[in-house]
């Protein structure tokens, strides 16, 4: 269940505060952050802050390979999205255009999120930004 997909060009410390606030608002018990580039500093900032203890996700392969490995989950109807959300159109458009879209960060985040779930055999959990935020909520539609 993907609850929210925030997109904002925030820099630290605003990004750190936004992640902590979103994790609290959605009662996230797992926060995934890509451990590459600015994500490495974000992980350190969140851990120093102490309100969120992120899990560092080290990407493997390239973005297209990562999405290809996870696309069967989407095709099988195992990914659920809210029926209405302000970000839903942008997410769907990016996913449908991937890998030829202008932006690919949401598609890449989703593929890494789905890969992490698979590798950790997680049944139920609530991860938070920036990869994605999930929650156990009713009224979902398949992606």
């Amino acid at each position: 269940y993907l609850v929210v997909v925030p997109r904002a060009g925030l820099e630290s410390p605003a990004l750190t505060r936004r992640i902590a606030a979103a994790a609290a608002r959605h009662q996230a018990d797992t926060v995934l952050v890509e451990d590459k580039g600015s994500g490495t500093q974000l992980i350190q900032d969140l851990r120093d802050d102490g309100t969120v203890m992120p899990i560092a996700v080290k990407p493997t392969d390239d973005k297209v390979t990562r999405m290809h490995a996870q696309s069967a989950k989407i095709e099988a109807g195992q990914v659920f999205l809210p029926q209405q959300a302000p970000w839903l159109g942008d997410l769907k458009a990016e996913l449908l255009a991937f890998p030829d879209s202008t932006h690919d960060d949401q598609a890449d985040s989703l593929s890494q999120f789905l890969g992490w779930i698979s590798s950790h055999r997680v049944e139920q959990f609530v991860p938070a930004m920036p990869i994605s935020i999930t929650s156990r909520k009713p009224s979902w539609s398949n992606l």
Side-chain angles (χ1 to χ4, degrees):
Y1 295 101
L2 185 61
V3 175
V4 67
V5 179
R7 292 191 84 180
L10 300 175
E11 294 183 19
S12 190
L15 181 58
T16 303
R17 287 191 303 267
R18 183 164 184 185
I19 291 170
R25 181 173 51 255
H26 295 284
Q27 300 175 343
D29 58 13
T30 304
V31 175
L32 307 175
V33 177
E34 183 178 277
D35 192 2
K36 185 177 174 186
S38 61
T40 302
Q41 182 63 50
L42 178 60
I43 291 165
Q44 294 170 358
D45 291 345
L46 287 166
R47 288 179 179 166
D48 286 346
D49 182 47
T51 56
V52 175
M53 296 305 287
I55 294 172
V57 176
K58 294 209 182 260
T60 58
D61 300 315
D62 60 86
K63 293 178 181 185
V64 174
T65 303
R66 289 193 298 260
M67 179 53 84
H68 181 41
Q70 301 306 320
S71 62
K73 290 180 183 77
I74 296 169
E75 292 171 10
Q78 296 174 348
V79 177
F80 293 86
L81 303 172
Q83 291 182 359
Q84 295 181 347
W87 48 266
L88 195 55
D90 289 339
L91 174 66
K92 285 184 176 182
E94 184 177 312
L95 289 171
L96 291 171
F98 186 84
D100 299 320
S101 56
T102 304
H103 302 286
D104 61 8
D105 55 328
Q106 294 178 104
D108 187 39
S109 294
L110 180 61
S111 70
Q112 289 188 57
F113 169 70
L114 294 172
W116 185 86
I117 292 170
S118 296
S119 67
H120 289 80
R121 301 196 193 291
V122 176
E123 298 280 332
Q124 292 184 329
F125 64 100
V126 185
M129 291 189 307
I131 299 265
S132 58
I133 298 175
T134 65
S135 178
R136 300 180 252 328
K137 302 225 181 213
S139 70
W140 300 91
S141 63
N142 289 79
L143 177 61

